[in-house]
Amino acid sequence: MIGLLLVVLVGVPSTLYYSLRILWAAVRKSDTLPCRCDELPRKWARLMLRAAGTRVEMENPERIVLDRPQILVVNHVSYFDVLALLGYLPGRYRFVGKKELTRVPVWGRAWMACGHISIDRKDKVKAMESLALARRKLAEDRPTVVLFPEGTRSVTGELRAFKKGAFVLAIQTGTEVVPAAILGTREIMRKGSLAIRRGRTIRVRFGEPIPVEGLRLEDRDGLTRRAHDAVAALQRLPG
């Protein structure tokens, strides 16, 4: 329980501190808000990872291109997946996450103030509205939009079937898909457990971007399968 205790002791005050700085910039409608949303979540996530005794290694990060939008699709087994990406993903990014995140006191408001997108997995109409918002973000901010297409964390670590929303979004916006695999986070903290195991390394592997030029909505199943196969292949790589 030492790992959990350290994360709580560091996490509670740092979460309040960084979240309130973002919210203060948002309330004042400050021109510094975009910079704070780029900088402060990275600092917070890296601090949390250090508190957990965890290091992050990025493989092929150059596949995230900073001068054009991309859609990053990643496997999901642990809360530490989000921390690793928040802390080390290059460039400007926006996450598409479950709406329950917005209910986290203070942090949830800062999350929304920075332009991240909540999605209601139980309401198809609202989910489509969230994807429409993601389309606008891609057009206006040109970020990397991060989605976990399994929809929830895998209990066993095995890659679950992908939902199609990310790939509909890619086709509708003409945005290439970057598959990625996160390894090692399940060994740190598993779904359903509060235990945090220190001294582990997280590896984030980026695959070759998948172009979508010429694809139509009826091609979404094929694109979904291709991305799923790419993430699975990245998970199987040795090292």
Side-chain angles (χ1 to χ4, degrees), residues 30-228:
S30 171
D31 293 339
T32 66
L33 179 61
C35 292
R36 292 198 173 184
C37 286
D38 288 342
E39 173 192 2
L40 298 184
R42 282 190 172 87
K43 288 185 175 181
W44 172 76
R46 291 183 183 191
L47 182 61
M48 295 289 285
L49 290 164
R50 287 198 298 273
T54 298
R55 58 193 297 265
V56 177
E57 296 180 355
M58 308 288 275
E59 298 182 12
N60 301 314
E62 69 279 359
R63 288 171 175 165
I64 299 298
V65 182
L66 304 186
D67 61 356
R68 67 172 182 264
Q70 293 175 305
I71 293 174
L72 184 70
V73 294
V74 196
N75 64 305
H76 195 21
V77 296
S78 170
Y79 288 129
F80 278 81
D81 301 332
V82 178
L83 289 174
L85 292 173
L86 276 174
Y88 291 93
L89 184 64
R92 176 164 291 180
Y93 50 70
R94 297 290 181 270
F95 280 73
V96 178
K98 59 185 180 180
K99 72 171 185 178
E100 288 81 0
L101 291 174
T102 65
R103 299 173 185 162
V104 178
V106 185
W107 185 92
R109 289 184 176 272
W111 176 262
M112 296 300 291
C114 283
H116 299 290
I117 302 159
S118 67
I119 190 163
D120 189 339
R121 296 174 295 182
K122 298 178 182 178
D123 188 321
K124 188 173 182 180
V125 173
K126 290 184 178 179
M128 294 303 294
E129 291 174 355
S130 296
L131 290 178
L133 177 57
R135 287 198 297 273
R136 292 198 294 274
K137 295 289 182 186
L138 284 165
E140 296 168 4
D141 298 340
R142 301 177 66 80
T144 298
V145 172
V146 183
L147 294 105
F148 297 105
E150 294 168 276
T152 188
R153 287 168 291 153
S154 170
V155 176
T156 64
E158 294 182 5
L159 192 64
R160 297 158 54 97
F162 282 2
K163 299 182 183 301
K164 299 173 187 175
F167 309 101
V168 170
L169 177 64
I171 292 171
Q172 287 178 334
T173 59
T175 305
E176 68 184 6
V177 174
V178 180
I182 300 182
L183 308 172
T185 52
R186 186 169 181 267
E187 287 70 30
I188 298 168
M189 186 179 191
R190 299 186 180 188
K191 183 176 182 178
S193 173
L194 293 177
I196 294 176
R197 299 166 183 84
R198 298 173 56 80
R200 304 300 202 275
T201 296
I202 299 171
R203 288 184 173 83
V204 184
R205 291 176 174 160
F206 298 98
E208 291 282 355
I210 302 171
V212 299
E213 289 87 350
L215 297 185
R216 296 180 293 182
L217 280 179
E218 52 264 38
D219 300 314
R220 61 188 180 276
D221 289 347
L223 179 61
T224 302
R225 286 193 298 271
R226 185 176 175 186
H228 186 279

